[in-house]
Amino acid sequence: MKELNKSTVEKLERPIKILQFGEGNFLRAFVDWQIDIANEKGVMNSGVAICQPILDPEHKVLGMIDLLNKQDNLYHVYLEGIENKQTKKEVRLVKSVMDSFNPYVEYEKYEHYFLSPELKITISNTTEAGIRYEEGDDLTACPPKSYPAKMTALLYKRFKHFGGDPTKGLSIICCELIENNGSTLHEYVIRHARYNNLGEDFIAWVENCCHFCDTLVDRIVPGFPRETISEIKEELGFNDNLVVKAELYHLWAIGGPGYKEVMRELPLDKAGLHVVFMPSIKQFRDKKVRILNGSHTGMVPIGLQMGCETVMDAFNTPAIERFVNDMVAEEVIPMIEEDPAELKEFAAGILERFYNPHIKHLLKTISLNSLSKWEARNYPTVKDNFFKAGRLAQHELFTFAALMTLYSGKTGFEPDDTPEFVDFIRRNWDSTDRVATIEKIVKSNIFTVDFSEVEGFVEGVAAYVKDIEELGMAEALNKFLAK
């Protein structure tokens, strides 16, 4: 079996026009995969440089960057799914990534790329927790800690380096699954600029010469196929330790004031890819995030506490399958402003993807940063049901109760989430006063919104926590469904 690197595979060097914040499975199987196709079809000629966005505790290169460098940034994307009721598979060796690095140990390389005259686009997926405003974040650090501060410092240095040249602005594309992702990043960049007195000329350059796009991304990406990797390596003929497995389906909606400029810089639609550009993505986002991602995030803490390992395990459990379908039909769809019949059809297509037998989508993997995900994906449904329809979204309240019990420290589950948030929940967990416990959590700085603004939220969640703790998840769920 051959090693995978430039000595065994011919790889064309391309100009690095895209700086990507995030080296994870999703961006590599979604964005870099699409850029590779567009390069191959001749509608683009763009290389990607991947920047690790997060500092690890010991300032070392994390495994993903290390592996990317070892394989000369080559890897396979392995797609499997059902198309027209037939099993289909596609495998692509992705060659669009030219370089990858850790800016905390290779700051000079990072600066070289963000000051390059060839750079046109930045793309990010720093998770839902990544786009947060951290007041006082040091813009002189190499690099700053938070992603909005990194972007502010990057743009300011670029502005100074090119003397405010209006042609050297960037198209800034966010893939984080928060509402108005690009618009929110733009807001935080301006706040950092004003807080640090970077000048009105710089702010005007950001406003007029840079294009912040809101996006919606859709592809289920389980990631590295650990259990079948030996067979897949044999099939590929390469010792590829960065294989990314994903479903066939993909959708990328890109919108915002500068979407036409981005459409010129990133003409993925001209390569036959499912990429749509529009003035606003709100309608797309509401449907996809609330139905698909909200279902995932709501299902995870229930499924994990019932012994399920994958999405398919959960959907093969009748009680969970019914719960998720009822939640979407009764609480999610009615709050989306679109034709109900079309929404129902859309939701059926979305939920059908959960049954893909080729995708082992681990609930533990989906659980990453569940606190911020629940706020972004599920709370909007709670809020709309209360303020628009005058009712509590009981299914969504049950999912939050399940999430709280999962994080409580009583289940043996170790969350992959912000450590201080997990620690806060566990330190303040008191099963003798569940209302006070939930109230303390929702009023903490874990969330950007105080969920108790919805009257009855705290008490409703506390009641479901009581059922889960006293009956166990399976019986608590059955009790809920029997109502």
Side-chain angles (χ1 to χ4, degrees), residues 7 12 18 56 92 107 131 188 195 234 263 270 294 296 309 331 336 378 404 407 435:
S7 70
L12 183 66
I18 300 169
D56 70 307
R92 169 169 287 270
Y107 183 80
I131 301 182
Y188 293 165
Y195 182 86
E234 286 293 333
M263 189 163 46
K270 292 181 171 54
H296 271 158
E309 291 188 3
E331 298 175 0
I336 300 174
N378 300 72
M404 292 299 96
Y407 275 45
V435 170

Side-chain angles (χ1 to χ4, degrees), residues 266-464:
L266 198 69
L268 298 172
D269 53 329
K270 292 181 171 54
L273 293 158
H274 194 185
V275 180
V276 291
F277 297 90
M278 61 193 72
S280 171
I281 64 160
K282 184 181 186 309
Q283 187 179 44
F284 266 82
R285 187 192 181 282
D286 282 352
K287 288 195 300 185
K288 185 265 180 179
V289 172
R290 295 194 187 193
I291 295 173
L292 173 62
N293 302 105
S295 295
H296 271 158
T297 300
M299 170 199 319
V300 163
I302 298 172
L304 285 171
Q305 291 178 78
M306 288 178 64
C308 301
E309 291 188 3
T310 67
V311 170
M312 196 165 180
D313 287 343
F315 252 53
N316 282 334
T317 303
I320 298 177
E321 179 189 38
R322 179 186 158 193
F323 176 89
V324 172
N325 278 287
D326 287 353
M327 180 176 75
V328 170
E330 297 170 14
E331 298 175 0
V332 179
I333 286 177
M335 294 299 109
I336 300 174
E337 296 176 2
E338 197 172 316
D339 178 74
E342 290 182 9
L343 275 174
K344 188 175 180 181
E345 184 179 350
F346 176 83
I350 286 282
L351 297 176
E352 185 179 41
R353 292 158 60 195
F354 289 10
Y355 297 96
N356 186 345
H358 303 289
I359 297 298
K360 188 170 184 179
H361 204 180
L362 293 171
L363 298 180
K364 179 70 170 70
T365 302
I366 303 172
S367 74
L368 171 69
N369 292 324
S370 280
L371 294 169
S372 58
K373 283 178 176 174
W374 196 92
E375 179 178 358
R377 301 171 174 186
N378 300 72
Y379 184 66
T381 295
V382 174
K383 187 174 180 179
D384 281 354
N385 270 273
F386 184 74
F387 289 106
K388 293 180 180 179
R391 65 191 182 197
L392 287 173
Q394 297 292 346
H395 290 76
E396 295 286 16
L397 267 61
F398 189 92
T399 69
F400 189 73
L403 179 59
M404 292 299 96
T405 57
L406 185 69
Y407 275 45
S408 68
K410 311 295 183 185
T411 63
F413 179 79
E414 288 303 322
D416 191 354
D417 213 319
T418 306
E420 55 264 38
F421 294 166
V422 176
D423 181 62
F424 181 89
I425 292 170
R426 291 182 171 183
R427 279 190 293 106
N428 289 281
W429 195 264
D430 181 4
S431 296
T432 67
D433 194 343
R434 297 181 178 95
V435 170
T437 298
I438 299 304
E439 185 167 27
K440 193 174 291 186
I441 291 169
V442 301
K443 288 181 176 294
S444 70
N445 69 341
I446 292 174
F447 305 105
T448 63
V449 177
D450 179 356
F451 300 160
S452 67
E453 68 176 353
V454 171
E455 188 178 341
F457 179 88
V458 169
E459 294 78 8
V461 169
Y464 291 136

Side-chain angles (χ1 to χ4, degrees), residues 93 95 98 105 112 152 235 240 250 289 298 377 386 414 419 436 439 443 474:
L93 175 57
K95 303 178 182 180
M98 299 293 110
V105 295
H112 166 76
T152 308
E235 180 185 340
D240 184 356
H250 72 281
V289 172
R377 301 171 174 186
F386 184 74
E414 288 303 322
E439 185 167 27
K443 288 181 176 294

Side-chain angles (χ1 to χ4, degrees), residues 188-204:
Y188 293 165
V189 166
I190 298 302
R191 281 177 67 181
H192 278 300
R194 295 199 188 283
Y195 182 86
N196 290 275
N197 299 311
L198 300 185
E200 291 301 320
D201 52 347
F202 168 63
I203 291 173

